[in-house]
Amino acid sequence: MSTTTSSAASTSTACTSLYDTPVRDAACAMPYGGNHTKIMLACCNDADVVSYYNDCGLYCLAVGQTVTDLSDCLYAKGAPWGDVFCRGNSSATATATGQVKIPASASASIIATDSASKSKSSDAAESSATSSDAAAPGLAPQSGISTLGLAIVIAMAFTVLSDAHVKQLLGSLSPSDVADLVAALQNGLVQYSCQGEKEYQPHRSVMARPDGQVTLYMPASTPDLVGVKIVGISKTQAPTPAGSGVPPPALKSVLTLCDETGQAIGTLNAAELTSFRTALGSILVYKFRRNTGNIVVFGAGKQALWHIRLAVLLRGEDIRTITIVNRSAARTQQLVDTLKADAQSEWPSQISLNVFDPKNDREAALEALIVESDVIFCTTPSTQPLFPASFLTSDKATTKTRFMSAIGSYRLDMQEMDPELLKLVVDPSSVFAGSAYQGGVIAVDTLEGCLQEAGELVKAELSTDKLLEIGKLLNHQSTADQAELHKWLADGSVIYKSVGVAVMDLAIGKSLLHLARKRNVGLTTDEF
């Protein structure tokens, strides 16, 4: 546990004793206000939630759980980093039962008990608790001696997750875990697009050394987190032979997270995390689709792997076929073997996992595959469109709609989608007009980023009013045309383009730290 000194300067004049909780047992507390009462109620189990010192703060005893369990729950339910402070070491549990009688000198009231959510003033309890002897275990009256300046214990652990740890966590996700991660990512993107957070995102920077070593620095911030992802790009190496099945050297990446005060809370190997969070961005839109029977995936790398895994995990019962399209037969087979050898769960018997390998007339076979598709995931750094727009404009192709995502191209010289297809999708007079939203738009993760880095969007010369950030799409509270939006997301012609934005790393990194502590994965120290 780390130790912090409380002083009058660090708290408001109306709440100078916030950190001097009137309890000497294992417990966690938060400042009173906002949605903190709701958060405490969700985590305190059978322990009373107590407001103390005239609504200065809230606390509850760690009953039936450790201090770490309680603090982790509070953070998982939305408590800002740094707002949770606890007494007792990380493995301590309360010695009292959690139900309290409130001494008048504590100026406290019970917000809720294990049997009902109700308030009880300290005056009402005074007759049964007029002295420290009458107070329940763990709730002693505040002494007449000021405790300002005394050291208090705050739960602020630091966790390190290696590549193996991150893969262990991601490889064991349940559908409910994925739903939580989807919610975290969605919240981060809504904050970015709709709640003024975009202006607080520093620009990424690139350092290129004379010897060819390139390093990317990708900082980001939220109201309760600051962090930076560092990506190392290896020096130029001889390219591997086409079709060899040997992937290019993997990028090295690390993500470090701090709370809003700069207190470090964790470091994660970000290689697998980056692939996962990018795929999860596609899933934010894909999850709405009504028809997802036939999925086509371009690419056979980590991005393809996670698009397939997440789609199967969330919508496996609705999927009939998944076909992987990739130039390297060896690498494609490696992906198939990895998916089917997943130790966490058997490959669903109702889903046919296919490798696109036509014996002749590849172009005609690819067109037939695209026409029959319901979902297309593009995950390759291609410099040429993966298929022409004409594949989707024929009479047969336009009898159905599709969800298409393009997350592999991230430079101006790259393009996965045909720019002509993008032009048609946003054209209110094209064959896609009947399945468009607001006259035709393309969903993007970041408007500025896509205009600077997405080759196909730049080549299509789309106006900014034809690009709609996913955070705005998913911000239901600000969307007036709910019925039209949901109809488009479920049944319309939807294209999602992503080049990545650093707040996505913060959202998923924070969630993985919570999951790691919950499952005792990684290396954690109580002091940093």
Side-chain angles (χ1 to χ4, degrees), residues 155-185:
M156 192 63 71
F158 180 83
T159 300
V160 177
L161 298 180
S162 68
D163 185 51
H165 293 141
V166 173
K167 288 178 178 176
Q168 178 184 346
L169 290 171
L170 295 179
S172 61
L173 293 176
S174 67
S176 62
D177 292 330
V178 174
D180 290 341
L181 290 165
V182 165
L185 184 59

Side-chain angles (χ1 to χ4, degrees), residues 93-106:
T93 59
T95 58
T97 62
Q99 284 70 55
V100 300
K101 295 180 180 179
I102 304 170
S105 56

Side-chain angles (χ1 to χ4, degrees), residues 116-453:
S117 294
K118 58 184 179 181
S119 295
K120 183 188 297 182
S121 69
S122 58
D123 291 339
E126 187 172 0
S127 61
S128 61
T130 57
S131 69
S132 60
D133 292 335
L139 182 57
Q142 185 182 20
S143 68
I145 301 174
S146 172
T147 56
L148 294 180
L150 295 181
I152 62 169
V153 179
I154 296 182
M156 192 63 71
F158 180 83
T159 300
V160 177
L161 298 180
S162 68
D163 185 51
H165 293 141
V166 173
K167 288 178 178 176
Q168 178 184 346
L169 290 171
L170 295 179
S172 61
L173 293 176
S174 67
S176 62
D177 292 330
V178 174
D180 290 341
L181 290 165
V182 165
L185 184 59
Q186 177 171 319
N187 182 62
L189 289 171
V190 168
Q191 287 183 331
Y192 173 80
S193 296
C194 305
Q195 298 175 10
E197 284 302 306
K198 188 178 296 187
E199 65 178 297
Y200 301 112
Q201 306 312 313
H203 294 292
R204 69 179 69 180
S205 60
V206 180
M207 181 185 68
R209 300 186 64 84
D211 61 359
Q213 179 65 43
V214 177
T215 305
L216 307 180
Y217 300 89
M218 305 171 66
S221 70
T222 70
D224 61 346
L225 281 178
V226 292
V228 61
K229 185 168 75 172
I230 300 174
V231 181
I233 302 176
S234 300
K235 300 176 185 179
T236 303
Q237 299 183 14
T240 55
S244 67
V246 179
L251 299 179
K252 304 297 183 182
S253 181
V254 62
L255 173 66
T256 296
L257 298 178
C258 302
D259 68 14
E260 74 277 14
T261 69
Q263 171 70 45
I265 60 174
T267 294
L268 306 85
N269 186 303
E272 195 82 8
L273 180 151
T274 300
S275 298
F276 174 83
R277 62 84 157 151
T278 304
L280 196 65
S282 296
I283 299 301
L284 288 180
V285 187
Y286 163 76
K287 66 179 182 177
F288 292 100
R289 299 304 290 181
R290 189 185 312 277
N291 297 317
T292 180
N294 298 321
I295 297 178
V296 176
V297 181
F298 285 90
K302 287 289 187 180
Q303 301 285 8
L305 171 71
W306 278 113
H307 276 79
I308 295 172
R309 275 184 172 171
L310 289 170
V312 171
L313 193 60
L314 294 180
R315 299 291 301 276
E317 294 182 356
D318 303 316
I319 300 171
R320 298 190 305 275
T321 66
I322 298 176
T323 304
I324 302 170
V325 182
N326 191 59
R327 291 289 184 180
S328 169
R331 197 175 182 200
T332 305
Q333 189 58 52
Q334 184 180 38
L335 173 59
V336 170
D337 293 342
T338 299
L339 289 166
K340 290 191 172 181
D342 191 337
Q344 296 299 321
S345 60
E346 293 184 5
W347 182 259
S349 59
Q350 79 278 8
I351 301 178
S352 176
L353 184 58
N354 305 320
V355 174
F356 180 71
D357 187 22
K359 302 307 177 185
N360 47 53
D361 201 348
R362 187 180 191 278
E363 192 77 0
L366 182 60
E367 180 175 6
L369 182 68
I370 295 297
V371 167
E372 292 299 324
S373 68
D374 297 295
V375 175
I376 301 174
F377 293 132
C378 301
T379 70
T380 73
S382 177
T383 56
Q384 296 294 326
L386 298 173
F387 57 89
S390 60
F391 280 11
L392 292 177
T393 57
S394 66
D395 290 341
K396 185 176 182 179
T398 54
T399 59
K400 61 167 30 179
T401 60
R402 296 163 190 82
F403 168 67
M404 296 173 277
S405 71
I407 58 84
S409 54
Y410 56 91
R411 295 198 314 248
L412 293 178
D413 62 330
M414 295 178 176
Q415 48 183 327
E416 297 176 285
M417 293 282 183
D418 187 343
E420 293 303 315
L421 175 62
L422 301 180
K423 292 179 183 179
L424 289 171
V425 168
V426 302
D427 183 351
S429 63
S430 78
V431 294
F432 297 105
S435 57
Y437 176 63
Q438 294 184 342
V441 295
I442 305 294
V444 298
D445 55 353
T446 164
L447 177 62
E448 292 79 7
C450 283
L451 289 176
Q452 294 172 8
E453 301 171 6

